Structures are given as C-alpha cells and as structure tokens.
Amino acid sequence: MLRSNARAENDPLVVRAGVAAIVNRDGQFLLIRRGKAPSQGLWAFPGGSIMVGEPLVAAAIRELAEETGVEGADPRVLAAVDIISPPGATAPYHFVLVPVLLRWVKGEPVAADDAEAAGWFTPDEMRDLDAVPTLWPVLADAEAALAHQSRWRARIGSISARSRP
C-alpha cells in the first residue's frame, strides 16, 4: 500500500505536489465541490496528493475514481501550476499541481471521499461557479490541448482519406 510522506505533509518548508484529473465528455468538464479544507465549498477538478512511490498519472486516475467513481484513461500531462500562500501568511504553503488530461471511459460522477458534489459543466457554466483560482489556467490549457488533438485527428483523417484507392 502506498502511503504519504508524513514529514513532508507537516513541514511548512517542503513543497508538496498534487494532481488534478481533467476529464472532458462531449464539451463538458467534470468538477467536484470540495468538502474539506483547503478550498472547502469551492469547485475544482478532482484531484489530490501523490503518494510516495505512486506515478503522478496513476495518482490522477486514482483520485478521479476515489472522488467521483468515474474511470479515465489515455493520460496527457499538462503544465504544472504553483499554488503559493500570499506573502506574510501565518501558515505559509506551496503546492505544485500537475493537471492530467484523461479521456472519459465510463461512469457517472458521484461525490465521494472529500467531494461534497460532482457534475459535468461546460466552460460557460463554470464561470458562474465559486471555483478555485487554479481552475482557469488549467481549463485554458486543457481546452488548448483538446483543440490541438482535434486538429491533429482531422489532419490524420484527411490524409487517410486521400491515400485510399
């Protein structure tokens, strides 16, 4: 069984790493409303800590399943995001969040673990939600990756169609 590094969790001078599972299905993204601190009550992508010895992609798939019951596959790691406490904070922190774009495989979201709600939202619907600040740069990166993937598939499809007899 993988376990967390207790020293790192309790040391305010150690940067902690976590993952976010970014799942898109038919133009909607899967979000959860956090049920515990940090970010309690705010909407975010499912995710959490990486356990010692756990590859970050495996952590994203695990967190997705634990928090929503949804299964994802075909991971693509996106740009990491820093979450740093404001200057002068009484309890300083620094997290590095690594978003992992996953293809939806199966399952309907059910809030579990530390999520108090879960659901699919379009980017327009997301704008009306109280969300964690990191949602927006991660969403922009995910949308760019999906658009690139779509253009690439269209290009491959047109090449394949021209090469058929």
Side-chain angles (χ1 to χ4, degrees), residues 24-71:
N24 179 282
R25 183 180 75 175
D26 301 325
Q28 295 182 314
F29 289 89
L30 179 58
L31 298 179
I32 62 161
R33 189 170 57 226
R34 294 265 166 226
K36 297 179 183 175
S39 306
Q40 183 174 6
L42 298 179
W43 289 91
F45 293 108
S49 296
I50 303 167
M51 300 300 167
V52 172
E54 182 179 36
L56 66 93
V57 166
I61 292 169
R62 175 185 52 76
E63 286 285 347
L64 174 66
E66 285 178 4
E67 293 185 349
T68 69
V70 169
E71 184 179 325

